[in-house]
Amino acid sequence: MDRLPDTTTPLTPTTIAPGPLEPAPASEPMVWVPGPGNGFVAVPRSILPADYFAPTAPAPAPPARGGIGAGIDPRAQVIAAGGVFAAGTGWGIGQVLSAFAGLGTAGLAALALAAVVARMPRPGTTPADNTAPGASTEIHVHRGARVKARNLNIR
């Protein structure tokens, strides 16, 4: 690219001669407000907003609740309740599982005894001999040399 022509004009330094300070005519009251560079600037009071000197007050804090849990966060209460529920559920499941584990030998012996008692004939249901009406001799032959006889009356 070609060079562009220099269009700037050099500034000539100006000097300000010190003189006596004259205050501005005091036609209205001035207020010092924070300005740039951590300084203060005088501003006429009429150009400031109406609420500059009386800012709006923040909303008051809600009154504290009375009782035991007055200072506890409600979200923390929910989390703690969930933990207590999980612990109680785990304890209950442990109780059920320990009951099944206690079934062990004694429980199996009780089940075996109940099975034997259920297979025994009840008194008064088996005839004493084959002469009773409805009595018959049944012989069941299974595989092997085992023979099962029911109501067999051999004399």
Side-chain angles (χ1 to χ4, degrees):
M1 279 191 121
D2 296 339
R3 292 190 83 179
L4 296 173
D6 188 15
T7 57
T8 60
T9 56
L11 297 175
T12 58
T14 57
T15 57
I16 298 174
L21 293 176
E22 297 177 12
S27 60
E28 62 181 289
M30 302 293 279
V31 178
W32 292 92
V33 296
N38 293 333
F40 286 91
V41 178
V43 176
R45 187 179 183 115
S46 62
I47 66 169
L48 293 175
D51 63 342
Y52 184 79
F53 296 105
T56 58
R65 298 180 316 187
I68 296 173
I72 300 175
D73 182 23
R75 181 69 184 147
Q77 289 178 347
V78 169
I79 292 171
V84 169
F85 173 74
T89 303
W91 179 81
I93 290 172
Q95 292 297 311
V96 170
L97 292 178
S98 67
F100 282 129
L103 190 64
T105 307
L108 292 178
L111 286 175
L113 182 63
V116 168
V117 168
R119 303 263 323 201
M120 290 178 63
R122 291 180 181 82
T125 58
T126 305
D129 57 353
N130 279 343
T131 60
S136 65
T137 302
E138 298 176 10
I139 298 176
H140 298 279
V141 178
H142 296 278
R143 275 187 262 174
R146 201 171 104 195
V147 175
K148 180 178 181 183
R150 181 177 290 168
N151 296 334
L152 185 60
N153 190 4
I154 302 175
R155 294 185 188 177

